[in-house]
């Protein structure tokens, strides 16, 4: 049975697209047939992070408007056989997304036998973000350890439980997951960032994972390969843990403890 | 005799809201309404309204009546008539399906006149003005709920109004969320947002919570904010908020001994 998972946050720039890319890749690496859809119409980014921007011919809006078939628009990922990307349109505006159109695309993907459909939501709480979460079965709410990001996540959680189809039809509510990105334990220790425990206490949603702040994420974005491919880096390991927990495995949180700088580092500085 | 006529007429008393507008500017009205209702589509629960412009300071030559109606409808308020408009605007409003009524049709002045002539009616709390035909038999109202219970968290940006009754919330009320009740409010979880009890004036209403972390508490319109946070001896503790003092009521926040 197909599960529709929306990656959302309210606030922009917290790591939704990075998470969508690595999360969908991780599921595909585990053998699940996965589609990842960029709902950020007008500001398409997912194809850049997935490194398929030069292969975009048709996009989500073309499919919604019946100008292209899903098969024409889906781009096969270059790293994983099971992963397909449905890019956003760069030239339209987000009002071009109709609820019926989105529903049809998701139904057609279901009929094509996809195990997971990942919806990469735009920032904000406007039409595009609502379209991305309307049909969700589960939602990953991405939050940075700062108050404004947490507040916006709280807002989007409320919208999720008010505007999703599951809520409107009175079915079992959308399953909520909390993913904290750009986490820096040393800055938490110094009192400059909220701790993951604080965030969970405010939002009261189960933590799916904590992704450490790292340079690899930025590098990976610029190279057009999801960071989960960067073997043995903390960020990739943390995303692998996220996949494991999502699939029901027990994994303790990693990369959340303060590391005391060594003597040499303290003497000579450095990063 | 007349029972099977295709149309029959009966006098009735209908609740109607008097919306006092100081402007006909759609953008200004929109902003003010959004502030008040939080864009909640059922805020007014399909009430009828008279748009009263008597207090408007300056009105334009023309106004976008369909847009104003649409705007009010988005909050669940149906504009039925206007009041206090200059002639030109009134004619345009009439064209748009909003007839002009005279101020005397509203109950406040009518009641005042009646009070002069007749013995004072028994004191009945009337939060909203009624039209003049008060003598007509009132329709039997559906039994109002005594309490509304919410089991889901109220997140930032959400608001809930328990009209005419108590409100119980068994999950947290986030910072930026708002719970309002005409009666008492109970929150059996952290209360981090705003809570307004006795919203239509009940001074005996109270707020109860198992963990006081609120941004604002109010009883019967008297409110208190916690700009520097809730006082340390009450913060994150079970507490109750009530009005005390007869002459000059004060808002009191007191700890609750749960154990």
């Amino acid at each position: 049975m197909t599960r529709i998972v929306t990656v959302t946050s309210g606030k922009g720039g917290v790591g939704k697209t990075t998470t969508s890319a690595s999360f969908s890749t991780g599921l595909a690496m585990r053998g699940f047939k996965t589609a990842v859809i960029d709902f950020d119409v007008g500001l398409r980014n997912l194809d850049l992070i997935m490194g398929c921007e030069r292969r975009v011919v048709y996009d989500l809006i073309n499919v919604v408007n019946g100008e292209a078939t899903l098969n024409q628009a889906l781009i096969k990922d270059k790293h994983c056989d099971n992963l397909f990307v449905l890019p956003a349109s760069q030239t339209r505006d987000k009002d071009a997304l109709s609820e019926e159109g989105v529903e049809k695309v998701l139904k057609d993907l279901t009929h094509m036998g996809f195990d997971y459909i990942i919806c990469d939501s735009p920032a904000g709480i406007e039409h595009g973000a609502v379209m991305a979460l309307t049909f969700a079965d589960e939602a990953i709410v991405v939050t940075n350890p700062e108050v404004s990001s947490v507040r916006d996540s709280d807002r989007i959680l409320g919208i999720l439980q008010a505007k999703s189809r599951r809520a409107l039809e009175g079915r079992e509510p959308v399953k909520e997951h909390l993913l904290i990105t750009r986490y820096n334990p040393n800055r938490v220790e110094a009192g400059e960032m909220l701790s993951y425990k604080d965030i969970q206490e405010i939002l009261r949603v189960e933590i799916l994972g904590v992704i450490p702040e790292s340079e690899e994420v930025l590098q990976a974005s610029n190279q057009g390969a999801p960071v989960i491919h960067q073997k043995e880096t903390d960020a990739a390991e943390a995303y692998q843990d996220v996949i494991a927990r999502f699939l029901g495995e027990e994994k303790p949180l990693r990369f959340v403890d303060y590391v005391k700088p060594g003597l040499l580092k303290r003497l000579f500085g450095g990063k | 005799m007349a029972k099977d006529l295709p149309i029959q007429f009966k006098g009735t008393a209908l609740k109607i809201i008097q919306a006092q507008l100081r402007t006909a500017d759609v953008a200004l009205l929109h902003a003010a309404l959004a502030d008040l209702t939080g864009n909640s589509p059922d805020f007014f629960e399909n009430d009828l309204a008279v748009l009263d412009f008597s207090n408007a300071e300056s009105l334009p030559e023309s106004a976008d009546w369909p847009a104003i109606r649409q705007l009010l409808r988005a909050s669940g308020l149906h504009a039925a008539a206007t009041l206090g408009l200059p002639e030109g605007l009134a004619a345009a409003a009439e064209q748009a399906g909003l007839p002009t009524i005279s101020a005397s049709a509203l109950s406040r002045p009518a009641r005042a006149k009646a009070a002069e002539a007749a013995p004072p009616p028994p004191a009945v709390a009337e939060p909203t003005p009624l039209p003049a035909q008060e003598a007509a038999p009132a329709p039997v109202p559906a039994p109002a709920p005594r309490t509304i219970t919410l089991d889901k968290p109220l997140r930032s940006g959400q608001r809930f109004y328990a009209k005419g009754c108590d409100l119980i919330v068994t999950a947290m009320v986030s910072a930026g969320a708002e719970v309002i009740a005409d009666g008492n409010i109970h929150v059996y979880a952290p209360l981090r947002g705003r809570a307004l009890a006795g919203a239509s004036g009940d001074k005996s209403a109270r707020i109860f919570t198992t963990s006081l972390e609120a941004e604002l508490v109010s009883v019967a319109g008297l409110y208190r904010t916690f700009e520097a946070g809730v006082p340390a001896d009450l913060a994150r503790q079970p507490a109750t908020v009530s009005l005390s003092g007869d002459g000059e009521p004060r808002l009191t926040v007191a700890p609750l001994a749960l154990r």
Side-chain angles (χ1 to χ4, degrees):
Chain A
M1 211 185 67
T2 313
R3 294 291 281 178
I4 300 173
V5 184
T6 296
V7 179
T8 186
S9 72
K11 202 172 180 66
V14 296
K16 282 182 298 296
T17 302
T18 299
T19 296
S20 297
S22 282
F23 187 71
S24 55
T25 300
L27 287 171
M29 285 161 84
R30 294 268 191 139
F32 295 104
K33 189 175 175 189
T34 306
V36 55
I37 307 177
D38 189 350
F39 273 81
D40 203 349
V41 176
L43 287 171
R44 65 171 226 233
N45 282 163
L46 180 69
D47 50 325
L48 291 172
I49 292 188
M50 301 291 292
C52 63
E53 72 277 11
R54 294 179 181 281
R55 289 188 287 150
V56 174
V57 182
Y58 296 110
D59 56 52
L60 175 62
I61 300 295
N62 293 133
V63 180
V64 164
N65 291 345
E67 295 152 7
T69 66
L70 258 180
N71 276 319
Q72 287 174 307
L74 283 173
I75 303 170
K76 194 170 164 302
D77 183 60
K78 58 186 174 192
H79 304 286
C80 298
D81 286 343
N82 293 325
L83 182 58
F84 295 84
V85 182
L86 185 53
S89 173
Q90 184 83 287
T91 50
R92 309 290 184 89
D93 69 47
K94 55 185 182 295
D95 296 330
L97 280 176
S98 68
E99 192 166 317
E100 301 77 37
V102 172
E103 186 171 20
K104 185 170 183 305
V105 169
L106 294 172
K107 276 219 172 96
D108 290 350
L109 285 169
T110 305
H111 291 314
M112 288 167 76
F114 279 95
D115 297 306
Y116 288 103
I117 302 171
I118 313 303
C119 301
D120 180 22
S121 172
I125 53 173
E126 310 298 327
H127 181 70
V130 173
M131 282 299 107
L133 63 76
T134 298
F135 300 97
D137 297 310
E138 306 194 31
I140 298 176
V141 176
V142 182
T143 302
N144 285 171
E146 50 159 309
V147 273
S148 62
S149 174
V150 175
R151 172 69 70 95
D152 290 359
S153 294
D154 194 47
R155 184 94 167 85
I156 205 83
L157 281 162
I159 291 172
L160 198 62
Q161 297 308 352
K163 295 200 173 166
S164 62
R165 274 289 168 92
R166 280 178 171 266
L168 294 176
E169 291 171 2
R171 287 186 284 147
E172 194 186 325
V174 177
K175 191 170 179 197
E176 303 162 342
H177 306 275
L178 178 61
L179 182 72
I180 301 167
T181 56
R182 300 211 171 142
Y183 196 75
N184 185 332
N186 297 2
R187 293 185 63 189
V188 171
E189 183 74 19
E192 297 165 9
M193 273 186 179
L194 292 173
S195 76
Y196 70 92
K197 286 177 185 150
D198 292 340
I199 299 172
Q200 189 178 25
E201 171 53 28
I202 296 171
L203 294 176
R204 302 205 158 188
V205 174
E206 202 174 327
I207 294 187
L208 182 65
V210 176
I211 311 295
E213 187 173 45
S214 81
E215 288 182 7
E216 288 101 22
V217 174
L218 185 65
Q219 280 168 16
S221 301
N222 289 333
Q223 286 165 10
V227 70
I228 198 167
H229 286 304
Q230 310 278 318
K231 294 267 181 304
E232 286 165 20
T233 61
D234 288 357
E237 297 274 312
Y239 272 116
Q240 291 289 5
D241 286 0
V242 164
I243 301 290
R245 285 187 208 104
F246 183 79
L247 296 172
E249 296 168 30
E250 292 271 338
K251 287 264 177 191
L253 284 178
R254 291 196 277 170
F255 318 112
V256 292
D257 292 324
Y258 172 59
V259 186
K260 238 184 168 169
L263 178 65
L264 285 177
K265 211 170 186 178
R266 267 184 286 157
L267 285 176
F268 298 109
K271 283 189 283 187
Chain B
M1 177 185 75
K3 279 226 161 85
D4 42 16
L5 280 178
I7 182 164
Q8 295 183 42
F9 297 95
K10 286 180 179 170
T12 180
L14 185 63
K15 192 183 95 176
I16 194 156
I17 287 182
Q18 188 179 1
Q20 299 187 330
L21 285 77
R22 288 179 173 276
T23 174
D25 183 317
V26 179
L28 283 177
L29 290 173
H30 185 226
L33 263 177
D35 249 16
L36 174 72
T37 68
N39 287 327
S40 162
D42 51 7
F43 188 81
F44 287 106
E45 301 177 327
N46 285 327
D47 288 325
L48 288 174
V50 172
L51 310 186
D52 178 2
F53 288 92
S54 331
N55 294 328
E57 272 147 25
S58 62
L59 286 168
E61 294 284 293
S62 67
D64 188 351
W65 294 109
I68 291 175
R69 296 185 86 169
Q70 179 67 37
L71 180 67
L72 295 172
R73 211 174 303 134
S75 299
L77 194 62
H78 297 270
T82 66
L83 173 64
L85 277 177
E87 229 163 78
L89 271 175
E94 216 144 311
Q95 286 278 317
L98 291 170
T100 307
I101 59 164
S102 65
S104 62
L106 289 180
S107 59
R108 262 184 224 282
R111 233 196 336 247
K113 268 183 239 153
E116 284 164 22
V124 180
E126 270 174 0
T128 43
L130 289 166
Q133 313 102 304
E134 283 187 12
V140 183
R146 298 164 64 100
T147 307
I148 293 176
T149 306
L150 297 182
D151 289 318
K152 278 198 240 157
L154 232 78
R155 302 276 183 186
S156 174
Q158 293 182 312
R159 63 152 45 197
F160 191 89
Y161 175 28
K163 197 172 183 175
C165 65
D166 285 3
L167 176 63
I168 297 178
V169 192
T170 61
M172 71 165 176
V173 176
S174 286
E178 191 169 59
V179 282
I180 310 164
D182 287 339
N184 303 307
I185 295 175
H186 304 250
V187 181
Y188 297 106
L191 168 57
R192 294 172 176 152
R194 302 160 148 237
L196 297 93
S200 33
D202 181 358
K203 291 192 170 74
S204 68
R206 291 171 75 172
I207 299 167
F208 305 86
T209 176
T210 51
S211 182
L212 183 67
E213 303 166 34
E215 296 169 323
L216 179 150
V217 290
S218 158
V219 174
L222 230 69
Y223 68 89
R224 174 166 173 191
T225 55
F226 299 100
E227 206 179 337
V230 178
D233 54 325
L234 294 164
R236 293 169 178 261
Q237 299 300 317
T240 179
V241 181
S242 58
L243 284 187
S244 61
D246 289 331
E248 206 176 296
R250 286 183 48 233
L251 201 63
T252 311
V253 185
L256 269 180
L258 285 193
R259 284 191 194 89

